[in-house]
Amino acid sequence: MTSAPAAVGSLAAAVPHVPPARLLADLLPPRHFADARFSTYRASPQHPSQAATVARLEEVAAVIAKPVRKGLFARRTSAPAVYMDGGFGVGKTHLLTSLAHAVGLDVSAYGTFVEYTNLVGALGFRATVDALASKKLVCIDEFELDDPGDTVLMSRLLRELADHGVALAATSNTLPDALGEGRFAAEDFLREIQALADRFEVLRVDGEDYRHRAVVTDSAPLPGSAIRAAAGSVPGATLDAFDDVLTHLARVHPSRYGAMLDGVELVALTGVHPVAEQATALRLVVLVDRLYDRDVPVLLAGGGEHGLFTDEMLAGGYRKKYYRALSRLGALAEDGRALVG
């Protein structure tokens, strides 16, 4: 007697409601890095900056976790602010998560850059400051300034948090004083960008993408019939045409992409092809990041992730985002193959 196929869901049909309270509650390290600690980071001997960054972050964690002296004669000291710069796949998110764990998740807020800007949009600026000012540490992963409004907003937010004595830690693929280059007229907002840069101690993390060492990140796509059958065998799987998902992403705010994946154990996409429009490609990058955060395997039919972004995109101002997405998507595709055998 054969078992009935699993009910297959649709990512393109998911329209989640995300109340502001959930946006705050979700400011935690991603599931993918639940076990990340300084002790589990494998620093490469070929890149001494990795071990140096670990040592410095351990010092920073000790400073942040130290009880705050109160009273008339207590000395006011500025809270640490560190900024990890390096290529994709060198373990910056692992280190940022390790810092949050070392300080304590109950007194830390952890989110991507876009999650913080979305939080301001949902709560309002003052309510966001009040909520985050209760923390000892605010971690900002994937720090990117994609438009002038974000530049001014984040500069003001970090200034207010620092004034409240909140420690800051960020990761990015771009040095602070180069944020915005290739995406908007950064020179017009140089003062704001420089103010951001001046707040941080920059920790350089050199190295190669670790995912290239363990998995094939340019996996061959599967036939459409194969992934349809596979999706029917995995409880919690979704099955969609790639174009349907791209269209749907334009209708859902990026702050809700994570909630779209609630209960999803596998994402299967048919008809995967190169994306030619930049706004569509950037939305796809956010979805890939949320899939990776939640360890959701993918199955790709059509062209797979190979050639997903155009040569022009891979040479432009958002190239580091696109390369990160390709690296992560390749790893998730290998996870999908392993899941269905």
Side-chain angles (χ1 to χ4, degrees):
M1 179 177 179
T2 59
S3 59
V8 180
S10 169
L11 205 60
V15 186
H17 171 65
V18 184
R22 173 168 176 175
L23 293 176
L24 279 170
D26 283 349
L27 290 178
L28 294 168
R31 185 173 70 186
H32 183 82
F33 295 94
D35 298 325
R37 300 293 188 277
F38 291 132
S39 60
T40 62
Y41 182 81
R42 298 292 177 256
S44 170
Q46 285 74 39
H47 301 284
S49 64
Q50 295 185 5
T53 297
V54 173
R56 177 58 184 143
L57 289 177
E58 288 177 328
E59 294 174 350
V60 169
V63 171
I64 299 172
K66 189 180 302 182
V68 178
R69 289 183 59 192
K70 296 182 179 180
L72 183 62
F73 299 104
R75 292 179 61 188
R76 181 181 179 86
T77 58
S78 58
V82 293
Y83 185 105
M84 284 176 276
D85 174 69
F88 56 88
V90 297
K92 299 187 303 296
T93 299
H94 182 127
L95 293 173
L96 189 65
T97 301
S98 300
L99 179 62
H101 278 289
V103 173
L105 298 187
D106 57 328
V107 292
S108 301
Y110 186 108
T112 62
F113 181 88
V114 69
E115 285 175 312
Y116 286 109
T117 56
N118 292 338
L119 185 65
V120 174
L123 297 183
F125 184 83
R126 182 48 49 193
T128 300
V129 171
D130 292 342
L132 296 179
S134 65
K135 303 294 185 179
K136 286 188 173 183
L137 171 68
V138 167
C139 297
I140 310 163
D141 202 8
E142 302 158 18
F143 202 116
E144 298 285 355
L145 299 181
D146 294 340
D147 63 64
D150 284 347
T151 306
V152 176
L153 172 65
M154 192 55 66
S155 178
R156 183 184 171 200
L157 178 63
L158 297 186
R159 181 172 63 249
E160 295 235 7
L161 292 176
D163 289 344
H164 281 83
V166 178
L168 306 171
T171 72
S172 181
N173 300 318
T174 307
L175 287 169
D177 57 1
L179 288 165
E181 286 185 356
R183 295 186 280 278
F184 62 88
E187 62 274 10
D188 294 339
F189 297 87
L190 189 59
R191 185 174 65 179
E192 295 289 350
I193 293 172
Q194 191 60 51
L196 286 171
D198 290 344
R199 292 191 179 278
F200 290 102
E201 171 191 356
V202 177
L203 304 176
R204 178 70 189 176
V205 187
D206 299 302
E208 301 173 353
D209 180 2
Y210 77 93
R211 286 178 286 267
H212 288 167
R213 305 169 196 160
V215 300
V216 178
T217 59
D218 190 12
S219 58
L222 296 169
S225 57
I227 75 161
R228 291 186 187 94
S233 69
V234 177
T238 64
L239 174 65
D240 294 274
F242 185 56
D243 281 334
D244 290 345
V245 171
L246 295 182
T247 300
H248 187 59
L249 292 181
R251 302 190 187 112
V252 178
H253 194 277
S255 64
R256 300 181 180 182
Y257 288 5
M260 284 173 54
L261 301 173
D262 286 351
V264 174
E265 300 297 330
L266 172 71
V267 168
L269 299 173
T270 60
V272 178
H273 60 80
V275 179
E277 206 269 325
Q278 184 127 267
T280 302
L282 290 172
R283 287 191 289 267
L284 180 60
V285 166
V286 176
L287 177 64
V288 171
D289 285 339
R290 300 293 79 78
L291 287 166
Y292 188 77
D293 288 347
R294 289 160 175 75
D295 280 333
V296 179
V298 302
L299 292 174
L300 306 175
E305 78 271 16
H306 180 69
L308 191 58
F309 305 116
T310 66
D311 291 341
E312 183 179 4
M313 290 177 183
L314 295 178
Y318 299 103
R319 60 189 177 278
K320 293 178 180 178
K321 282 190 174 187
Y322 295 137
Y323 278 116
R324 181 185 72 228
L326 290 174
S327 175
R328 291 181 165 186
L329 190 58
L332 294 176
E334 288 300 309
D335 290 343
R337 283 174 171 270
L339 178 66
V340 301

